[in-house]
Amino acid sequence: MDVPVATRIFALIVCIAILWRMFGAKRGVQYFIRRIPGIDAIEEALGRATEMGKPIVFTPGIDTLSNMQVLAGLSVLGWVAKKCASLYVQVIVPLAKPTVVPAAEEIVRNAYREAGAEEHFRTTNIRFISEDQSAFAAGTVGILAREKAAAGFYFGAFGYESLLISENGNRLGIIQVAATADYVQIPFFICACDYTLIGEELYAASAYLSRDPMQVGSLTGQDMAKALILLILLVGSIAAIFSGELNPVQGLLGK
Amino acid sequence: MKGFQRKLIWTATFIFGAIWILAFFLPGEVGGGVDRHGMYAPDLVGTRLFYSSGSRQTSAPLNEHKQGSYICQLDLTAVNRRETAFRSSPFRRDDYFGAKRPSVFQVGEGWVMLYLGLGKDDRKRVCMARSDDSVSWRPETKSVFDPPRENAPEGVLWFSVYAESGGYRLYYGVMRRARIVVHQAFSEDLINWKDEGEFLELPEPESVLSLSAMKDGKFLIVSKLPDKNPFVSISSVQDGVAKDRVFVGGDEDGVPEGVEIGEKYVNAGFAQVIVDARVKEDAGFMRVLIVGGEDVNQFGENREGVLKLGILEGTDLSNLQPIQGSLPNGSVAELSTPAFSTGFSSIAGKMSDFVPIVMTFGFVMGLISLVMVHGRRIRQGGDARWFSLLAVLALIVMVIIQFGNRTTQNHPVWTALDDIFFMRMQFPLGATMFGLLAAYLVSAAYRAFRIRTFDAAVLTAVAALVVITQVPMGQFIVSLFSPESAQAGAAFDAIATEPRTWALNVANDAVQRAVGFGAFVGAVAIALRLWLSLDKTSFE
């Protein structure tokens, strides 16, 4: 693995910042998280589903478990499923990768068990659709329409099917909340969904919802890392402006 | 989950993660000599030999390093004392990814080295380093020669420089129609170069790998046909065409028609395959620097096939001999001692072999899920049962067709069925879904661009500008209002292109990078939580 030294050092600093805050939170330090309207809307959508007596659809996207966005999506799925179990709302999880099926099934089953409603968990609600993006989009839209879903949650990694799913959901009048770190798909979700979490908010959602100290700690650790990135950008920009060089470090060193 | 199972999963996750993390943070190799991964692209000045090597194995046998190359040096009177002249630097844009192919000249009291810099933009340029003693080198910040992009889309692929009356001549290789041709440039001072265009193009599809000028006006050319080993020839060049070419070394099987087969003068035991040869002449004395290695095709792909170099000397081509002190195989020296491998990268790579196994079981899980969901719906009845029945039938039919196709090794009947069901049904259906995007884009854009707030107004204005200037609509729209449509439209496009480029490349790019930074840090956080099994909410 040939990784530049600067990248290694930076990654190490980021890891240390996150771990420091995580263990700080474990020791009992309280951290503040700002309000994220998109995540607040999840509860609103679940309440609507309860009132209507209809299921909700939650998908972590089209990638495998090696994609961090999918893992972040599954992390949110755990909380959503637990809430649904306590409200007796069915969660339907369309999946595009067969390897995600057992993980999603276990997460939803655990959530129902923790809510004391394991008897309401249905294995057939965790549905492998297809690895093909178009077929996955068609299958998911079919579920939204046929099952008359009250809400759609799209948290994870998406490609062009983002617009196919969310636009159809919009036409069906479903409350939709989406979150992805793929910046090409973000505009599609913003256009078609009621609420969209942008980029890093996908990773923050689980911490925000669960208020688990370790997750909250890691979230503030991320903020520290981002502050560091911002500082580097600021110093680099100033150096580039005043040195007239394209390489800011060189400009700073005066070489 | 039972306590034992949980601990087992935690431990396995931690160990696997730790190996990947160590492979990321620790260097793959520790120690080792400077040229352990090959010696190539040399230049010789007196007894000072300058050459290139790299910090890792090359991606393909008998190839130069595409990245991570650096310049080495040694004195022929003490070949075991080899050192790095200088390496590429992240603080220099033009040799950010590597430095190779040194050409050294004594200029006045000092020394000048031209070398090929692998730039941050993946473009190759001729760069310069200076020295007072030909030992300690100071690379310059910027390149000295970057050929016009229309002639050299990838930059300089290789070069050689020769002193001539009134200045220096540089021959360099550029890519044209998937092969390499030679261009030339001239400079009076090695710093300011004037491109003089094409110098030599061999008949298609032959590529020139190196070219060096000889005193008699001829050239030593290393060239190569596709899927053949390179060969060395002597030739004169007239009007951009090679004349009277005579084969003098390398692989005779790779010689095209029109090249006379001569004696194999350029030859060395270590170089079953010659990839580079360079001639240096001085006062009736000739030295040929050869780069080559084992013919890996004879031994299988497991041989590393690193490049080595040798020096032949004599009064002319016909009496070349390896220089004094050469090894029995003709090379100047053996490659230096290999590095100690930390091994984490290879272990991490081997661990990836688990992925297909897990994927296989995952497919079975997917299949079970699919059959369970649709089987239940078929049993329950209703309108949806027919869709489910179709889905299950399609699954069974495709499995049978693919199984038949593979086991009969593409029997025409199975191939035809595969063609009908996969290429003529599944593909068009997928394309139809993709085509729907166009309609959805319009309806989504309609909602997005309704001007209800100041932000929406700005968004709409910028979007309109980008859309209109992205496609050749500007000329058309202006032509509706102006009789001089072509000129006015072109002027409009020229004016509108600037803000569009700024909106896309500056404003849009900055936001995308900001999202990317946040996502990267978030991904690191979630990876850490999972690795250390600290995410107790969902992944218990």
Side-chain angles (χ1 to χ4, degrees), chain B residues 451-479:
Chain B
I451 303 173
R452 288 183 296 193
T453 61
F454 176 72
D455 294 355
V458 173
L459 182 70
T460 307
V462 175
L465 177 78
V466 171
V467 169
I468 289 171
T469 55
Q470 193 78 18
V471 291
M473 283 288 285
Q475 289 194 19
F476 170 72
I477 292 171
V478 175
S479 71

PDB file of all heavy atoms in Angstrom, chain B residues 451-479:
ATOM      1  N   ILE B 451     -38.977  30.334  -8.744  1.00  0.00           N
ATOM      2  CA  ILE B 451     -38.371  31.476  -8.053  1.00  0.00           C
ATOM      3  C   ILE B 451     -39.313  31.982  -6.967  1.00  0.00           C
ATOM      4  O   ILE B 451     -40.245  32.733  -7.238  1.00  0.00           O
ATOM      5  CB  ILE B 451     -38.023  32.596  -9.060  1.00  0.00           C
ATOM      6  CG1 ILE B 451     -37.102  32.045 -10.138  1.00  0.00           C
ATOM      7  CG2 ILE B 451     -37.375  33.777  -8.360  1.00  0.00           C
ATOM      8  CD1 ILE B 451     -36.834  32.990 -11.266  1.00  0.00           C
ATOM      9  N   ARG B 452     -39.066  31.505  -5.751  1.00  0.00           N
ATOM     10  CA  ARG B 452     -39.906  31.944  -4.630  1.00  0.00           C
ATOM     11  C   ARG B 452     -39.087  32.701  -3.588  1.00  0.00           C
ATOM     12  O   ARG B 452     -39.609  33.405  -2.763  1.00  0.00           O
ATOM     13  CB  ARG B 452     -40.587  30.746  -3.977  1.00  0.00           C
ATOM     14  CG  ARG B 452     -41.689  30.180  -4.867  1.00  0.00           C
ATOM     15  CD  ARG B 452     -42.408  29.045  -4.204  1.00  0.00           C
ATOM     16  NE  ARG B 452     -41.527  27.908  -3.980  1.00  0.00           N
ATOM     17  CZ  ARG B 452     -41.937  26.697  -3.648  1.00  0.00           C
ATOM     18  NH1 ARG B 452     -43.219  26.465  -3.487  1.00  0.00           N
ATOM     19  NH2 ARG B 452     -41.088  25.713  -3.470  1.00  0.00           N
ATOM     20  N   THR B 453     -37.793  32.494  -3.607  1.00  0.00           N
ATOM     21  CA  THR B 453     -36.923  33.206  -2.676  1.00  0.00           C
ATOM     22  C   THR B 453     -35.734  33.767  -3.452  1.00  0.00           C
ATOM     23  O   THR B 453     -35.541  33.439  -4.628  1.00  0.00           O
ATOM     24  CB  THR B 453     -36.387  32.252  -1.591  1.00  0.00           C
ATOM     25  OG1 THR B 453     -35.638  31.234  -2.241  1.00  0.00           O
ATOM     26  CG2 THR B 453     -37.507  31.629  -0.777  1.00  0.00           C
ATOM     27  N   PHE B 454     -34.929  34.587  -2.758  1.00  0.00           N
ATOM     28  CA  PHE B 454     -33.740  35.152  -3.400  1.00  0.00           C
ATOM     29  C   PHE B 454     -32.764  34.036  -3.778  1.00  0.00           C
ATOM     30  O   PHE B 454     -32.177  34.042  -4.872  1.00  0.00           O
ATOM     31  CB  PHE B 454     -33.068  36.151  -2.449  1.00  0.00           C
ATOM     32  CG  PHE B 454     -31.784  36.706  -3.001  1.00  0.00           C
ATOM     33  CD1 PHE B 454     -31.797  37.623  -4.059  1.00  0.00           C
ATOM     34  CD2 PHE B 454     -30.558  36.297  -2.494  1.00  0.00           C
ATOM     35  CE1 PHE B 454     -30.622  38.116  -4.581  1.00  0.00           C
ATOM     36  CE2 PHE B 454     -29.377  36.793  -3.008  1.00  0.00           C
ATOM     37  CZ  PHE B 454     -29.403  37.715  -4.052  1.00  0.00           C
ATOM     38  N   ASP B 455     -32.599  33.044  -2.861  1.00  0.00           N
ATOM     39  CA  ASP B 455     -31.690  31.925  -3.130  1.00  0.00           C
ATOM     40  C   ASP B 455     -32.109  31.185  -4.398  1.00  0.00           C
ATOM     41  O   ASP B 455     -31.274  30.836  -5.240  1.00  0.00           O
ATOM     42  CB  ASP B 455     -31.698  30.931  -1.957  1.00  0.00           C
ATOM     43  CG  ASP B 455     -31.122  31.551  -0.704  1.00  0.00           C
ATOM     44  OD1 ASP B 455     -30.650  32.694  -0.804  1.00  0.00           O
ATOM     45  OD2 ASP B 455     -31.154  30.897   0.356  1.00  0.00           O
ATOM     46  N   ALA B 456     -33.439  30.940  -4.505  1.00  0.00           N
ATOM     47  CA  ALA B 456     -33.936  30.205  -5.674  1.00  0.00           C
ATOM     48  C   ALA B 456     -33.699  31.003  -6.949  1.00  0.00           C
ATOM     49  O   ALA B 456     -33.416  30.422  -8.008  1.00  0.00           O
ATOM     50  CB  ALA B 456     -35.418  29.913  -5.504  1.00  0.00           C
ATOM     51  N   ALA B 457     -33.799  32.342  -6.835  1.00  0.00           N
ATOM     52  CA  ALA B 457     -33.565  33.188  -8.013  1.00  0.00           C
ATOM     53  C   ALA B 457     -32.112  33.069  -8.480  1.00  0.00           C
ATOM     54  O   ALA B 457     -31.829  32.925  -9.680  1.00  0.00           O
ATOM     55  CB  ALA B 457     -33.902  34.642  -7.680  1.00  0.00           C
ATOM     56  N   VAL B 458     -31.181  33.104  -7.519  1.00  0.00           N
ATOM     57  CA  VAL B 458     -29.763  32.969  -7.864  1.00  0.00           C
ATOM     58  C   VAL B 458     -29.504  31.592  -8.492  1.00  0.00           C
ATOM     59  O   VAL B 458     -28.828  31.462  -9.526  1.00  0.00           O
ATOM     60  CB  VAL B 458     -28.868  33.154  -6.601  1.00  0.00           C
ATOM     61  CG1 VAL B 458     -27.406  32.836  -6.910  1.00  0.00           C
ATOM     62  CG2 VAL B 458     -29.001  34.573  -6.069  1.00  0.00           C
ATOM     63  N   LEU B 459     -30.079  30.572  -7.874  1.00  0.00           N
ATOM     64  CA  LEU B 459     -29.906  29.201  -8.362  1.00  0.00           C
ATOM     65  C   LEU B 459     -30.407  29.085  -9.797  1.00  0.00           C
ATOM     66  O   LEU B 459     -29.726  28.514 -10.671  1.00  0.00           O
ATOM     67  CB  LEU B 459     -30.667  28.236  -7.460  1.00  0.00           C
ATOM     68  CG  LEU B 459     -30.554  26.758  -7.799  1.00  0.00           C
ATOM     69  CD1 LEU B 459     -29.156  26.260  -7.504  1.00  0.00           C
ATOM     70  CD2 LEU B 459     -31.561  25.943  -7.001  1.00  0.00           C
ATOM     71  N   THR B 460     -31.568  29.652 -10.042  1.00  0.00           N
ATOM     72  CA  THR B 460     -32.154  29.569 -11.384  1.00  0.00           C
ATOM     73  C   THR B 460     -31.304  30.311 -12.406  1.00  0.00           C
ATOM     74  O   THR B 460     -31.076  29.818 -13.518  1.00  0.00           O
ATOM     75  CB  THR B 460     -33.581  30.155 -11.368  1.00  0.00           C
ATOM     76  OG1 THR B 460     -34.313  29.500 -10.341  1.00  0.00           O
ATOM     77  CG2 THR B 460     -34.266  29.956 -12.700  1.00  0.00           C
ATOM     78  N   ALA B 461     -30.821  31.483 -12.014  1.00  0.00           N
ATOM     79  CA  ALA B 461     -30.004  32.272 -12.941  1.00  0.00           C
ATOM     80  C   ALA B 461     -28.728  31.509 -13.311  1.00  0.00           C
ATOM     81  O   ALA B 461     -28.366  31.407 -14.487  1.00  0.00           O
ATOM     82  CB  ALA B 461     -29.658  33.619 -12.307  1.00  0.00           C
ATOM     83  N   VAL B 462     -28.071  30.954 -12.303  1.00  0.00           N
ATOM     84  CA  VAL B 462     -26.821  30.225 -12.563  1.00  0.00           C
ATOM     85  C   VAL B 462     -27.109  28.967 -13.389  1.00  0.00           C
ATOM     86  O   VAL B 462     -26.383  28.646 -14.343  1.00  0.00           O
ATOM     87  CB  VAL B 462     -26.108  29.851 -11.237  1.00  0.00           C
ATOM     88  CG1 VAL B 462     -24.889  28.989 -11.509  1.00  0.00           C
ATOM     89  CG2 VAL B 462     -25.704  31.102 -10.488  1.00  0.00           C
ATOM     90  N   ALA B 463     -28.197  28.279 -13.036  1.00  0.00           N
ATOM     91  CA  ALA B 463     -28.539  27.058 -13.767  1.00  0.00           C
ATOM     92  C   ALA B 463     -28.833  27.372 -15.225  1.00  0.00           C
ATOM     93  O   ALA B 463     -28.390  26.648 -16.126  1.00  0.00           O
ATOM     94  CB  ALA B 463     -29.743  26.388 -13.118  1.00  0.00           C
ATOM     95  N   ALA B 464     -29.567  28.456 -15.452  1.00  0.00           N
ATOM     96  CA  ALA B 464     -29.879  28.837 -16.824  1.00  0.00           C
ATOM     97  C   ALA B 464     -28.602  29.133 -17.602  1.00  0.00           C
ATOM     98  O   ALA B 464     -28.439  28.706 -18.751  1.00  0.00           O
ATOM     99  CB  ALA B 464     -30.803  30.054 -16.819  1.00  0.00           C
ATOM    100  N   LEU B 465     -27.697  29.852 -16.956  1.00  0.00           N
ATOM    101  CA  LEU B 465     -26.428  30.184 -17.614  1.00  0.00           C
ATOM    102  C   LEU B 465     -25.662  28.918 -17.982  1.00  0.00           C
ATOM    103  O   LEU B 465     -25.167  28.770 -19.107  1.00  0.00           O
ATOM    104  CB  LEU B 465     -25.591  31.053 -16.670  1.00  0.00           C
ATOM    105  CG  LEU B 465     -24.206  31.415 -17.188  1.00  0.00           C
ATOM    106  CD1 LEU B 465     -24.299  32.522 -18.208  1.00  0.00           C
ATOM    107  CD2 LEU B 465     -23.293  31.826 -16.042  1.00  0.00           C
ATOM    108  N   VAL B 466     -25.571  27.994 -17.020  1.00  0.00           N
ATOM    109  CA  VAL B 466     -24.808  26.767 -17.256  1.00  0.00           C
ATOM    110  C   VAL B 466     -25.456  25.928 -18.352  1.00  0.00           C
ATOM    111  O   VAL B 466     -24.793  25.454 -19.269  1.00  0.00           O
ATOM    112  CB  VAL B 466     -24.667  25.939 -15.949  1.00  0.00           C
ATOM    113  CG1 VAL B 466     -24.070  24.571 -16.243  1.00  0.00           C
ATOM    114  CG2 VAL B 466     -23.801  26.684 -14.942  1.00  0.00           C
ATOM    115  N   VAL B 467     -26.778  25.788 -18.285  1.00  0.00           N
ATOM    116  CA  VAL B 467     -27.474  24.960 -19.275  1.00  0.00           C
ATOM    117  C   VAL B 467     -27.319  25.554 -20.670  1.00  0.00           C
ATOM    118  O   VAL B 467     -26.996  24.852 -21.628  1.00  0.00           O
ATOM    119  CB  VAL B 467     -28.971  24.817 -18.904  1.00  0.00           C
ATOM    120  CG1 VAL B 467     -29.751  24.202 -20.053  1.00  0.00           C
ATOM    121  CG2 VAL B 467     -29.121  23.965 -17.664  1.00  0.00           C
ATOM    122  N   ILE B 468     -27.534  26.861 -20.762  1.00  0.00           N
ATOM    123  CA  ILE B 468     -27.495  27.495 -22.088  1.00  0.00           C
ATOM    124  C   ILE B 468     -26.093  27.435 -22.694  1.00  0.00           C
ATOM    125  O   ILE B 468     -25.925  27.192 -23.880  1.00  0.00           O
ATOM    126  CB  ILE B 468     -27.997  28.955 -22.002  1.00  0.00           C
ATOM    127  CG1 ILE B 468     -29.509  28.936 -21.759  1.00  0.00           C
ATOM    128  CG2 ILE B 468     -27.697  29.711 -23.282  1.00  0.00           C
ATOM    129  CD1 ILE B 468     -30.087  30.288 -21.436  1.00  0.00           C
ATOM    130  N   THR B 469     -25.080  27.615 -21.866  1.00  0.00           N
ATOM    131  CA  THR B 469     -23.719  27.649 -22.416  1.00  0.00           C
ATOM    132  C   THR B 469     -23.075  26.271 -22.486  1.00  0.00           C
ATOM    133  O   THR B 469     -22.076  26.099 -23.158  1.00  0.00           O
ATOM    134  CB  THR B 469     -22.821  28.583 -21.576  1.00  0.00           C
ATOM    135  OG1 THR B 469     -22.893  28.153 -20.215  1.00  0.00           O
ATOM    136  CG2 THR B 469     -23.262  30.012 -21.702  1.00  0.00           C
ATOM    137  N   GLN B 470     -23.667  25.319 -21.804  1.00  0.00           N
ATOM    138  CA  GLN B 470     -23.104  23.970 -21.832  1.00  0.00           C
ATOM    139  C   GLN B 470     -23.406  23.289 -23.170  1.00  0.00           C
ATOM    140  O   GLN B 470     -22.621  22.495 -23.662  1.00  0.00           O
ATOM    141  CB  GLN B 470     -23.686  23.137 -20.675  1.00  0.00           C
ATOM    142  CG  GLN B 470     -22.961  21.840 -20.395  1.00  0.00           C
ATOM    143  CD  GLN B 470     -21.666  22.076 -19.622  1.00  0.00           C
ATOM    144  OE1 GLN B 470     -21.477  23.131 -19.032  1.00  0.00           O
ATOM    145  NE2 GLN B 470     -20.787  21.109 -19.649  1.00  0.00           N
ATOM    146  N   VAL B 471     -24.549  23.583 -23.719  1.00  0.00           N
ATOM    147  CA  VAL B 471     -24.915  23.026 -25.024  1.00  0.00           C
ATOM    148  C   VAL B 471     -24.875  24.162 -26.046  1.00  0.00           C
ATOM    149  O   VAL B 471     -24.940  25.327 -25.665  1.00  0.00           O
ATOM    150  CB  VAL B 471     -26.332  22.415 -24.966  1.00  0.00           C
ATOM    151  CG1 VAL B 471     -26.346  21.178 -24.108  1.00  0.00           C
ATOM    152  CG2 VAL B 471     -27.344  23.411 -24.481  1.00  0.00           C
ATOM    153  N   PRO B 472     -24.762  23.862 -27.335  1.00  0.00           N
ATOM    154  CA  PRO B 472     -24.666  24.960 -28.324  1.00  0.00           C
ATOM    155  C   PRO B 472     -26.009  25.641 -28.552  1.00  0.00           C
ATOM    156  O   PRO B 472     -26.539  25.661 -29.645  1.00  0.00           O
ATOM    157  CB  PRO B 472     -24.173  24.246 -29.589  1.00  0.00           C
ATOM    158  CG  PRO B 472     -24.586  22.836 -29.430  1.00  0.00           C
ATOM    159  CD  PRO B 472     -24.586  22.546 -27.972  1.00  0.00           C
ATOM    160  N   MET B 473     -26.552  26.179 -27.457  1.00  0.00           N
ATOM    161  CA  MET B 473     -27.841  26.864 -27.544  1.00  0.00           C
ATOM    162  C   MET B 473     -27.671  28.372 -27.661  1.00  0.00           C
ATOM    163  O   MET B 473     -28.559  29.067 -28.127  1.00  0.00           O
ATOM    164  CB  MET B 473     -28.683  26.561 -26.292  1.00  0.00           C
ATOM    165  CG  MET B 473     -29.315  25.191 -26.282  1.00  0.00           C
ATOM    166  SD  MET B 473     -30.669  25.097 -27.451  1.00  0.00           S
ATOM    167  CE  MET B 473     -31.924  26.036 -26.575  1.00  0.00           C
ATOM    168  N   GLY B 474     -26.506  28.839 -27.188  1.00  0.00           N
ATOM    169  CA  GLY B 474     -26.272  30.279 -27.150  1.00  0.00           C
ATOM    170  C   GLY B 474     -26.411  30.899 -28.531  1.00  0.00           C
ATOM    171  O   GLY B 474     -27.150  31.878 -28.713  1.00  0.00           O
ATOM    172  N   GLN B 475     -25.747  30.278 -29.486  1.00  0.00           N
ATOM    173  CA  GLN B 475     -25.792  30.829 -30.836  1.00  0.00           C
ATOM    174  C   GLN B 475     -27.213  30.813 -31.381  1.00  0.00           C
ATOM    175  O   GLN B 475     -27.665  31.754 -32.028  1.00  0.00           O
ATOM    176  CB  GLN B 475     -24.878  30.008 -31.749  1.00  0.00           C
ATOM    177  CG  GLN B 475     -23.411  30.222 -31.458  1.00  0.00           C
ATOM    178  CD  GLN B 475     -22.533  29.689 -32.578  1.00  0.00           C
ATOM    179  OE1 GLN B 475     -22.978  29.492 -33.683  1.00  0.00           O
ATOM    180  NE2 GLN B 475     -21.279  29.459 -32.269  1.00  0.00           N
ATOM    181  N   PHE B 476     -27.907  29.718 -31.060  1.00  0.00           N
ATOM    182  CA  PHE B 476     -29.275  29.583 -31.582  1.00  0.00           C
ATOM    183  C   PHE B 476     -30.185  30.666 -31.001  1.00  0.00           C
ATOM    184  O   PHE B 476     -30.916  31.338 -31.737  1.00  0.00           O
ATOM    185  CB  PHE B 476     -29.812  28.195 -31.231  1.00  0.00           C
ATOM    186  CG  PHE B 476     -31.272  28.033 -31.510  1.00  0.00           C
ATOM    187  CD1 PHE B 476     -31.744  27.945 -32.822  1.00  0.00           C
ATOM    188  CD2 PHE B 476     -32.191  27.994 -30.478  1.00  0.00           C
ATOM    189  CE1 PHE B 476     -33.089  27.812 -33.092  1.00  0.00           C
ATOM    190  CE2 PHE B 476     -33.541  27.858 -30.739  1.00  0.00           C
ATOM    191  CZ  PHE B 476     -33.989  27.771 -32.046  1.00  0.00           C
ATOM    192  N   ILE B 477     -30.098  30.844 -29.668  1.00  0.00           N
ATOM    193  CA  ILE B 477     -30.981  31.814 -29.027  1.00  0.00           C
ATOM    194  C   ILE B 477     -30.695  33.224 -29.538  1.00  0.00           C
ATOM    195  O   ILE B 477     -31.594  33.985 -29.876  1.00  0.00           O
ATOM    196  CB  ILE B 477     -30.837  31.748 -27.488  1.00  0.00           C
ATOM    197  CG1 ILE B 477     -31.404  30.404 -26.995  1.00  0.00           C
ATOM    198  CG2 ILE B 477     -31.562  32.896 -26.804  1.00  0.00           C
ATOM    199  CD1 ILE B 477     -31.128  30.121 -25.544  1.00  0.00           C
ATOM    200  N   VAL B 478     -29.384  33.562 -29.607  1.00  0.00           N
ATOM    201  CA  VAL B 478     -29.027  34.912 -30.058  1.00  0.00           C
ATOM    202  C   VAL B 478     -29.454  35.110 -31.514  1.00  0.00           C
ATOM    203  O   VAL B 478     -29.880  36.188 -31.911  1.00  0.00           O
ATOM    204  CB  VAL B 478     -27.513  35.142 -29.882  1.00  0.00           C
ATOM    205  CG1 VAL B 478     -27.108  36.487 -30.458  1.00  0.00           C
ATOM    206  CG2 VAL B 478     -27.158  35.091 -28.407  1.00  0.00           C
ATOM    207  N   SER B 479     -29.379  34.044 -32.291  1.00  0.00           N
ATOM    208  CA  SER B 479     -29.732  34.171 -33.706  1.00  0.00           C
ATOM    209  C   SER B 479     -31.215  34.543 -33.885  1.00  0.00           C
ATOM    210  O   SER B 479     -31.595  35.094 -34.905  1.00  0.00           O
ATOM    211  CB  SER B 479     -29.425  32.866 -34.443  1.00  0.00           C
ATOM    212  OG  SER B 479     -30.356  31.883 -34.044  1.00  0.00           O
TER     213      SER B 479
END
